[in-house]
Structures are given as C-alpha cells and as structure tokens.
Amino acid sequence: MVINHIQSGDESKQKLTWKYRISRVILELVSEDAKSLLLSENLTIEGLINLIGMVSYGKSTLMIVLSVLLARRGLYTSIVLGDVISVLEQAKIFHKLGISVAPVLGASNRDRHANRLHRAWHSQNSKQPLNLAHPGFQWLSTSCPLSELRRDAPRPFKMREQPCIGLTTLSNDEEREKEAEDTEDEYACPIYSACPFHKAQRDLVKAQVWIATPASLVYTRVASQINRESIRFLELVYLRSDLVIIDEVDQVQVQLDNIFCPNQKLFGAGGDGWFSKVQQPVVEQLNFKGRVQLADDDTDNWSQAHATAQIAVDRIYNLLLKNPPALKKWSERGDYFTYWLILSEIANSLCGKITSSGNDDQVSERLVDLFGSYLNDPLGDHSNHPLAEISHKLLLTTDKDLARQNLREWILNHQESSGLSEKVLDNTVVKMEFALLVAVLQQRFNSMLRDWKLAEEVYKLEGGSSLLFQTPPRDYEPVVPTAPMGNILAFQYVQSTEDAPGDLRFFKCLGVGRWLLLHLHELYAGEGIIGPNVLLLSGTSWAGKSPGYHIQVPVAGVLRSPEEELKAIEKSKFRFEPYFYDDLQQLPIRVSGSKNNERDMALKELLNQLAQQGGLGGPSKLEEERTKLPKHRQRILLLVSSYEQAKLAQEHLEKIRPEWREQVMRLVCDDDQFETDWCGSGQSIQRGLVSKFPSTEAWILIAPLMAIERGHNILNEFGKATFGAAYFLVRPHPRPDDINYAIHSINRWAVEKHNDAFWLTDKCENDLLTVNNAFLNATYRHWRYLLRLPMIYSLGNLGNELQLDSNISSIRQRRREAINQRCRDRTIYSLVLKY
C-alpha cells in the first residue's frame, strides 16, 4: 500500500483544516543501511512497520486521514486505542466525517462505559442534561426490549441476564413439569435485528472503520446471530482488515502482557477479593438447592478444592498476621512468594548455604527433588508422603504444636550441614509451615481455575463478570507462546497501613501477550491466510532497555513536528530543587521510599514549603513560579504517585491556603462516582475529561503520574500547552513490589532470544529438543534472577544537573536503566519541569 503525500482532495473549510494539519507532519524514514534518517513524502505500509515520534507530532491526524483515505477507496481499517472513552470519541470524529464506523465493545462492563460517557458528555453540555447527541450512546444501550413483555417480573433484566440466545417455549403448568425433565431447545431472540443492546455488533457488519481496545479484541466474541463460527474479534480483525493502526503501541503491549499474565486480589478488607466474591454465590447455591450439586463427582471435587483453598488461606493469614521474624520479607516488605522460592531458601539453609543465589549444588538439588515429589501431591491424594500427612495436620487439626514438632523432626532428619542453631531451626520450622500451606493453596487454586467451567454454571458464576477472574481465552493457545518459564502462580501479601491486615494477591503467567502485537500481521500465516498491514504508532515506544514499553520492532521512520516547534521544546528546562526539614539543610524531605504515615507527612511538609506564603505575607514558591510563566500558560501541574495521594495533597493545600479552594483541582479515575458529579465538583475532574481543565478557573492540577503520562492534549484557547510548569513531587519509578516488572522483563528476554539465531544455534547440539531444553533452563534461571532483582532508583552520575532530552523516549530509557543501579543519591524530592 503506497500513500503519496496524503491530501484531503476537498476545498471545504473542514477539509482544508485537515489538509493543514497533515501538512505539518514531517516524515523521515530510516535509510537502508539504518545509519541515517531521510526526509520523505511517501509512506509505504507493508507488513508490520513501527513509526515513532515526539509528543504532539501528528500521529492522531495521520491515523484519521489514513483511515478516511482507505474508506474512500473501499478498504477496511481497524484502530486500537487504550480505553473505551477514547474509542467512542474517535468514533465521533469519523461519524462527523461521514465515514461508516463502529466500536468493538464487550458487554460485561457496558453499564460502566455508559456512565463514563454520560459524565464526559454532560460536562460539555451541562445545560442540556438530557442531550444524548453523542453517537456513542447508540452503542452503549443497556436496555432489553423483552423486559417489557415480562409481566410477572417486577424489574427489567439486569446486565448479562438478557436471554439473547436462551429463549425457551412454555405452554402451561402441566407441560412445564414435563419440560423440566427433558432437554429443551433454546432459541435466539427474534428481535435481535432491532435490539438496541446489540446495535454495535450489527453496525460492525458494514462499517469500514472498526475501533477497539486491546481487551475488547482479545475477549469479545462475534455474536452467533451474525456469524455461526465461534470467533474472537482479534481473529476477525486479522481476516477482514486491510490496515490495522495501533495507537500508543507501548501501552497496548503492556496491556497484552497483563492480559496473559493477570494479577488479582484474592482476599482483603471490604470483601472485594476474588475468593470472597466466588464464595458468596457458591454458598448461596449450595444452601438454596440443599447441596444437590455435590452428587456430581466433578462438581464435588471442585467444591472440595474451593473449601480447602479457603482453609489454607485462613492458616496463611494466621501466620502472616503474627509477623514472625522468619516471614518478615513477605509480611512486611511485600515480596512475592511461591513454593519454589520458599523451599529453595529452606534447601539452602539445610545444606549450609548462606544465600539462595547462584546454582544449587548436589545437596540442594537432592532436597529440591525431595520437595518436588511432595509438591506434585501436597495432600497425598494419590501417594503417601510424610509432608502430606503434616499438611493435613496443619489444615485440619487444632493442635498446631504437634504438627510443628513433626516438621522439626523432619527438618532434623534431612539437614546435611553440621547442624542448625536453635534460632535458625525455629525460623526454618516457620518457613516450612508457610511453604506447605502455600503449596496446598497453589495446588487447590490451580484446580479451581483448571476446572472452572465445571462449576461456572452450577454455581451461577458465569457471564464474564468483572467480579470474577478472567483468564485469557483458550482460542489463542495455538498462536500465543506459553509463558517462557511455564505456567506459574505466585502470591503477594501487601499492607496498605501498618495497623490493618493486608491483601493477599496472586498473579498467573499464561503466555507472552506481546506476541499478538509483534506478529499480528502474520498470526495465522501458518494456515495460509494473509494478514493485514499493521502500523504501530507511539511517542515512547523506542525506550531502550525498558522491558514493558520498548517495542521489539525496528523503527522504520520518525514523525516530527515543524522546526519552529522543536526549537521551542529545546528551550524547556529541568531543575532540581531539594527541600529540607531543617534550616541547616541536613535533614532532606523524602516522599518516595518512606512508609505509610511517614510518606504522607513528608508530602505535606513538601507542600508546606511550596505553597505557604513567604515573609510578611509574600507570595509562595508556587505563586512566584506562576508569575514567571507566559500569560496564557500560568498553570502548574503537581505530579504524585496515586489518586489517594492526589486527594491528600489537595486537601492539605486547601487547609493551608483556604483562598485556593476553587483554584486547586485533582484528577480522579473515570469510575469515580462519589466525590464528583458528571459536570465536575469544581475541585476534581475525571481522567477522561482532563483536556477540559483549561476551561475551569483552577490554576493547579494534582494528578498521578501514570494516569496522565500519555494521550492527553491539554491545550489552551491558543492551541498551546496550558501548563507552564510541572512539579514531580515523587520519583517517577515503578513500585518495588510490582510483579509486572518481572513479567515484562521475562517476556522481552524470551522474544529477544527467540529472534537471536546465533544464541539458538549455539544451544543446538543435536536436535530441536536440545534447543527447547536449553531455552527452558536458561529462561527459568533468568526468571529466578528477576524475582530477586531489587528495584532501586538512582540518578546515577547525573548529579543535581539534569538535562532535558527533546526525545521523551530517552528520558524513559534513563529511568529504566537506573533501576539496576545502586542508589547513590536519594534526595530527589521535587523535580520541576518548565516548558
């Protein structure tokens, strides 16, 4: 597909506007020797190409113009965006341009998406609360016409209760009893062709532009009323599209990795953990039907696994809440744990090794093998093992001391060193108890997930509800590689406050999600099906060593803005401003890295020094900064690490500066329903509406860094950036306990090694099996290294003078490269970006 310097071809005012916008985009392609960039007026999209560029370089304009151009030529385009509101806003643009467009939307969160759009639209039309002119509303209907025919029901169908393909025939009461005994045919709803709930999927049939999110592509099925074959939209996009455009591709890559390596809260305060939400319908259904479900052996086995997992979690909490010294790394630090990590420590302790790093020697390997034979059957379902008997005692008896004495004897009988001290022995017993409970939980939890379909209908757990855990569909097993180190389930105990129980979370690695992105153009080539051309767009996808955001596709070209805008960016300045508790500047204020209350107090003190008035009632530092900014850009962005922290900062600023009450706003998530109404409370603004901030009276916006890092053009009435300065009050660094970093890293490593022919050749001694075994062994070693890798932030050798690189990807690269460096300067508490 060759596009010769895209032109609008229409002399109307609107088309002249688009022509002007596309004329500002400058394209430079990488030369054949990959040593230089060459200015070009032609863009050839063939297969998979990766275009990068700076922020506001015109990728949205290119995306829209390309799609319109192809639609006018009778071709089909699919666009992938990061969230549903962006999908609907983009669809609105195509709708105004007269292009047939439809979104790919799932049904599970339809009501949430509708509420988001209502709030976004109402903020722009607050004087017309019933104005539903936004085209997105036609695709977000939650109504079912059959509800009007249910004269015996007091309420309409709830979401996911609609009998779209589950209608049955009923005649009279006598026939109902007979029909209950026989298998009954089910029918599709006869008014599907006019049903408002299904309008989006009907419109997709003829639409020339499809717009989707990564989740809707992966999870959503094509309605059986439209297509008899059971197929996901990702496969249909591959079969139907001439061009697929993926915007903010680095963010999409992270989302795909997370879909195939999900993490979920299992237990915690508030009852919103996954186990809590599964337990309630299970107990209700068992009580309601008198446990008749247990007559089926498969259902009974699943129920036993569910009950045993619940008991194991109770015993694990019993240990963690006591916070013994042997478990502090998991109960206090929030380190993630698996049976392998815990037992590897025990194995090294028993054989006299000080640490668990490095290769296991023969003694350790023999002990790991011994543990492994138990872990295949932790409760002795199919074999007899001493540890299985102890596990039963830990779970089912009240005499824990007897079980621990049995553990002590087992340890003493299997130690290979000269002898363990009494303190080390006590700690080893506690770790061993913890490891056995985790092994039971892991095995039973895996059984629940494996046999989920057996219980889904019996206990009314079906429907793709957001209340339940969603595994990636098995449809992708033939095309998505399994996780490099195999399917792994791991746990994490995280405390938000020191005086409250923590949350027990889990993650599961099921595949390399980014593979779908990197091979979308050839996903089904093995079946002889030619794929679509794929265009990857982002301003930060060339990110060096970043495991999550770097796209492992060679850059084909660079999109950049006109020279005068680049020169304006070059005038931007970074400055480093340390703040201290004392006048002697010996006790620096540290927000990031502090714990709980200390972190909140540090943030408040930092805000005090920024916002409190100077001597004799003079202006504060923020007010002084504001007066130095250009007239139409006198607004300041304060960046924190979370929505909760943004709320804390806003409340504190309003406390110390009451006159700022209407001048300070904070960003809230799109689902916020309690602290802000649809049109905004005057003190907060939803993430999806942040572009409307310039229309408010506020001059300070407090926002989480990760919530505002991309995809938001916040411009004033002159088309310029509304913020003249930004203050980083926290370090832009991932959470040290974030398991996603290890997942992204192992996925990147696996893709690199797969593409490294020299590495694979070196491992190939005899046959492919040798390569496979070598790959698995190397992967597992690297995975264990990543699990123990400390997440440390450092300025390295940059010192206190920071230079602003005009390419934001270089900033991200430096940030990621700093992760593995030892912390040498931890006094970066306020970083000011002025541009």
Side-chain angles (χ1 to χ4, degrees):
M1 187 185 342
V2 180
I3 304 166
N4 292 313
H5 195 64
I6 310 161
Q7 307 233 350
S8 61
D10 195 326
E11 295 304 322
S12 68
K13 182 177 179 180
Q14 175 67 23
K15 296 303 182 288
L16 284 174
T17 302
W18 285 103
K19 183 176 181 180
Y20 167 75
R21 290 176 60 179
I22 196 65
S23 67
R24 294 177 60 256
V25 180
I26 299 175
L27 173 64
E28 294 180 335
L29 298 178
V30 177
S31 61
E32 293 184 1
D33 59 5
K35 293 183 179 180
S36 61
L37 291 172
L38 305 176
L39 189 65
S40 177
E41 294 185 350
N42 298 324
L43 174 61
T44 301
I45 305 176
E46 183 177 359
L48 178 70
I49 75 165
N50 183 17
L51 293 184
I52 65 172
M54 297 173 56
V55 177
S56 300
Y57 59 80
K59 62 179 176 62
S60 298
T61 299
L62 176 62
M63 182 168 54
I64 294 172
V65 173
L66 271 176
S67 301
V68 171
L69 177 64
L70 295 183
R72 289 179 175 177
R73 297 183 178 182
L75 301 177
Y76 297 92
T77 304
S78 294
I79 299 174
V80 182
L81 303 177
D83 58 79
V84 173
I85 293 299
S86 298
V87 167
L88 297 175
E89 288 296 323
Q90 195 80 336
K92 177 184 174 183
I93 295 176
F94 287 109
H95 189 267
K96 286 185 176 181
L97 294 174
I99 302 298
S100 58
V101 61
V104 179
L105 301 173
S108 60
N109 294 319
R110 177 72 63 86
D111 47 356
R112 180 186 301 177
H113 300 327
N115 288 336
R116 287 179 178 179
L117 184 60
H118 271 292
R119 290 194 294 271
W121 184 247
H122 186 71
S123 67
Q124 304 174 43
N125 301 271
S126 57
K127 297 182 180 180
Q128 298 177 300
L130 300 181
N131 179 0
L132 302 180
H134 195 295
F137 288 115
Q138 64 180 318
W139 298 309
L140 292 177
S141 174
T142 58
S143 62
C144 174
L146 295 183
S147 295
E148 294 297 322
L149 305 178
R150 302 172 69 212
R151 298 179 180 178
D152 58 339
R155 59 173 178 79
F157 284 112
K158 290 184 178 180
M159 286 291 297
R160 297 174 293 277
E161 286 184 355
Q162 302 95 327
C164 303
I165 53 174
L167 294 177
T168 58
T169 58
L170 292 176
S171 298
N172 52 51
D173 293 339
E174 295 180 358
E175 291 181 348
R176 290 184 183 184
E177 183 177 354
K178 180 180 179 181
E179 289 169 350
E181 300 175 357
D182 301 328
T183 302
E184 196 172 18
D185 293 333
E186 293 184 335
Y187 300 91
C189 178
I191 60 174
Y192 177 86
S193 60
C195 177
F197 186 83
H198 295 285
K199 179 173 174 55
Q201 287 225 13
R202 294 200 310 271
D203 288 352
L204 286 168
V205 175
K206 296 183 179 180
Q208 290 184 286
V209 176
W210 289 3
I211 312 178
T213 65
S216 67
L217 286 181
V218 170
Y219 287 114
T220 308
R221 288 188 182 276
V222 180
S224 57
Q225 298 93 324
I226 295 176
N227 195 73
R228 291 184 178 181
E229 296 180 5
S230 178
I231 185 174
R232 306 279 177 177
F233 268 99
L234 181 66
E235 183 177 354
L236 189 56
V237 163
Y238 180 90
L239 298 173
R240 183 181 187 270
S241 302
D242 296 292
L243 175 66
V244 177
I245 303 175
I246 303 179
D247 190 23
E248 301 294 356
V249 62
D250 49 344
Q251 187 180 35
V252 171
Q253 175 171 269
V254 168
Q255 292 180 22
L256 289 174
D257 275 354
N258 292 341
I259 286 174
F260 283 85
C261 293
N263 58 81
Q264 181 79 33
K265 177 180 175 181
L266 286 181
F267 283 94
D272 58 344
W274 182 82
F275 253 117
S276 302
K277 294 172 181 177
V278 170
Q279 183 181 25
Q280 182 177 356
V282 169
V283 173
E284 287 179 354
Q285 290 300 315
L286 285 172
N287 292 335
F288 180 72
K289 295 189 176 181
R291 285 171 167 70
V292 67
Q293 303 96 326
L294 303 182
D296 179 77
D297 289 340
D298 291 333
T299 303
D300 181 58
N301 291 337
W302 188 93
S303 300
Q304 283 190 351
H306 170 259
T308 305
Q310 295 273 0
I311 296 174
V313 169
D314 291 344
R315 298 294 182 265
I316 289 173
Y317 263 86
N318 176 262
L319 281 176
L320 293 174
L321 291 175
K322 292 178 179 178
N323 196 22
L327 304 183
K328 282 188 179 294
K329 64 186 300 183
W330 301 296
S331 60
E332 287 188 356
R333 285 168 40 189
D335 287 7
Y336 24 84
F337 52 90
T338 67
Y339 69 89
W340 176 267
L341 288 177
I342 304 171
L343 290 180
S344 65
E345 289 190 10
I346 296 174
N348 283 292
S349 177
L350 294 182
C351 68
K353 296 179 67 174
I354 298 176
T355 67
S356 57
S357 60
N359 296 325
D360 296 324
D361 58 18
Q362 293 182 354
V363 177
S364 181
E365 288 178 359
R366 186 173 71 82
L367 290 173
V368 171
D369 290 340
L370 184 61
F371 288 135
S373 64
Y374 153 77
L375 289 170
N376 290 331
D377 190 12
L379 287 176
D381 294 334
H382 308 290
S383 62
N384 294 322
H385 193 285
L387 291 179
E389 182 180 351
I390 297 175
S391 297
H392 270 284
K393 292 181 180 180
L394 290 172
L395 289 171
L396 303 176
T397 65
T398 57
D399 191 355
K400 298 177 184 176
D401 291 336
L402 177 60
R404 289 165 184 164
Q405 180 59 35
N406 294 150
L407 276 179
R408 178 182 291 265
E409 294 172 357
W410 188 93
I411 292 169
L412 291 173
N413 291 334
H414 291 83
Q415 63 175 336
E416 295 289 338
S417 61
S418 58
L420 301 176
S421 67
E422 192 64 25
K423 180 179 180 180
V424 173
L425 181 58
D426 290 341
N427 288 339
T428 305
V429 170
V430 175
K431 284 185 180 180
M432 190 76 170
E433 179 181 355
F434 186 55
L436 299 189
L437 293 173
V438 171
V440 172
L441 174 60
Q442 181 163 338
Q443 195 274 340
R444 290 306 195 244
F445 188 46
N446 265 329
S447 297
M448 290 177 61
L449 297 181
R450 183 191 64 226
D451 300 329
W452 181 259
K453 290 297 181 182
L454 299 176
E456 189 175 30
E457 183 176 355
V458 174
Y459 292 123
K460 307 299 181 184
L461 304 173
E462 65 274 73
S465 170
S466 60
L467 301 180
L468 302 178
F469 172 67
Q470 288 185 338
T471 58
R474 301 188 66 177
D475 308 52
Y476 303 108
E477 289 182 358
V479 293
V480 175
T482 58
M485 58 289 177
N487 288 357
I488 290 181
L489 179 70
F491 301 90
Q492 186 181 32
Y493 181 77
V494 180
Q495 280 186 293
S496 56
T497 59
E498 296 179 353
D499 55 349
D503 297 337
L504 184 64
R505 303 174 180 175
F506 82 94
F507 70 92
K508 190 169 186 179
C509 300
L510 302 170
V512 183
R514 65 181 63 191
W515 190 269
L516 289 176
L517 173 69
L518 301 178
H519 297 270
L520 184 56
H521 62 298
E522 57 183 10
L523 204 58
Y524 299 98
E527 301 179 20
I529 304 174
I530 299 176
N533 298 298
V534 180
L535 175 60
L536 309 179
L537 295 173
S538 180
T540 54
S541 60
W542 187 254
K545 296 181 180 180
S546 169
Y549 293 101
H550 180 72
I551 301 300
Q552 294 163 280
V553 176
V555 173
V558 177
L559 298 172
R560 64 178 180 86
S561 301
E563 194 65 31
E564 60 271 15
E565 295 187 11
L566 296 179
K567 291 181 179 180
I569 294 175
E570 291 176 356
K571 297 179 181 179
S572 303
K573 296 179 180 179
F574 269 121
R575 73 173 186 265
F576 171 66
E577 291 184 356
Y579 287 86
F580 301 86
Y581 286 105
D582 58 327
D583 295 335
L584 298 178
Q585 297 188 354
Q586 294 181 353
L587 186 60
I589 302 173
R590 186 177 71 181
V591 179
S592 299
S594 300
K595 290 185 178 181
N596 301 321
N597 294 334
E598 293 180 4
R599 180 171 58 248
D600 293 344
M601 294 301 297
L603 178 61
K604 290 179 180 179
E605 179 59 28
L606 182 57
L607 291 171
N608 287 341
Q609 300 197 26
L610 289 173
Q612 285 181 340
Q613 290 180 310
L616 301 177
S620 64
K621 286 183 169 58
L622 289 179
E623 290 170 319
E624 289 178 351
E625 183 70 34
R626 183 190 185 192
T627 58
K628 297 176 184 178
L629 300 176
K631 181 179 179 181
H632 299 288
R633 301 183 61 202
Q634 292 184 338
R635 290 182 172 178
I636 295 175
L637 178 65
L638 303 182
L639 294 166
V640 293
S641 61
S642 66
Y643 289 112
E644 293 78 12
Q645 211 170 64
K647 181 180 179 182
L648 174 69
Q650 182 191 32
E651 292 175 347
H652 188 69
L653 283 179
E654 293 177 347
K655 179 180 178 180
I656 62 177
R657 298 296 301 269
E659 67 273 22
W660 285 6
R661 187 169 298 275
E662 298 299 325
Q663 302 176 42
V664 179
M665 297 187 72
R666 80 176 190 275
L667 197 70
V668 297
C669 61
D670 288 323
D671 291 328
D672 184 86
Q673 299 179 22
F674 305 103
E675 311 212 23
T676 177
D677 56 23
W678 288 352
C679 59
S681 64
Q683 297 177 346
S684 60
I685 186 170
Q686 277 90 5
R687 178 177 179 270
L689 306 178
V690 69
S691 62
K692 307 300 178 183
F693 176 77
S695 62
T696 69
E697 298 298 324
W699 62 276
I700 295 177
L701 176 65
I702 310 171
L705 176 62
M706 298 304 291
I708 203 171
E709 67 168 348
R710 63 179 71 242
H712 299 288
N713 291 326
I714 310 174
L715 307 177
N716 59 23
E717 64 270 26
F718 301 100
K720 303 295 183 181
T722 193
F723 293 110
Y727 282 72
F728 288 79
L729 305 183
V730 295
R731 293 196 299 256
H733 185 262
R735 284 178 58 101
D737 57 0
D738 187 4
I739 189 63
N740 286 322
Y741 181 83
I743 292 173
H744 297 320
S745 296
I746 196 66
N747 284 348
R748 170 171 175 156
W749 183 90
V751 172
E752 285 179 349
K753 297 306 180 186
H754 174 270
N755 296 332
D756 189 345
F758 295 102
W759 187 84
L760 293 174
T761 302
D762 181 63
K763 301 296 181 182
C764 184
E765 298 178 1
N766 299 314
D767 50 30
L768 289 177
L769 183 60
T770 304
V771 178
N772 180 68
N773 292 336
F775 184 85
L776 291 177
N777 291 334
T779 301
Y780 200 72
R781 285 195 300 271
H782 191 63
W783 172 247
R784 292 183 63 192
Y785 161 76
L786 290 170
L787 289 181
R788 295 183 174 88
L789 182 67
M791 300 280 286
I792 300 175
Y793 178 90
S794 173
L795 287 179
N797 296 321
L798 295 178
N800 290 345
E801 296 184 5
L802 302 179
Q803 299 295 324
L804 175 62
D805 194 316
S806 61
N807 190 335
I808 193 170
S809 64
S810 297
I811 299 174
R812 187 184 296 278
Q813 179 178 349
R814 286 186 199 172
R815 170 157 56 99
R816 298 296 179 179
E817 289 176 343
I819 288 174
N820 296 329
Q821 298 180 19
R822 185 170 181 82
C823 182
R824 291 187 287 271
D825 185 351
R826 301 188 68 179
T827 59
I828 175 169
Y829 312 107
S830 176
L831 184 62
V832 185
L833 171 61
K834 186 176 179 181
Y835 50 93

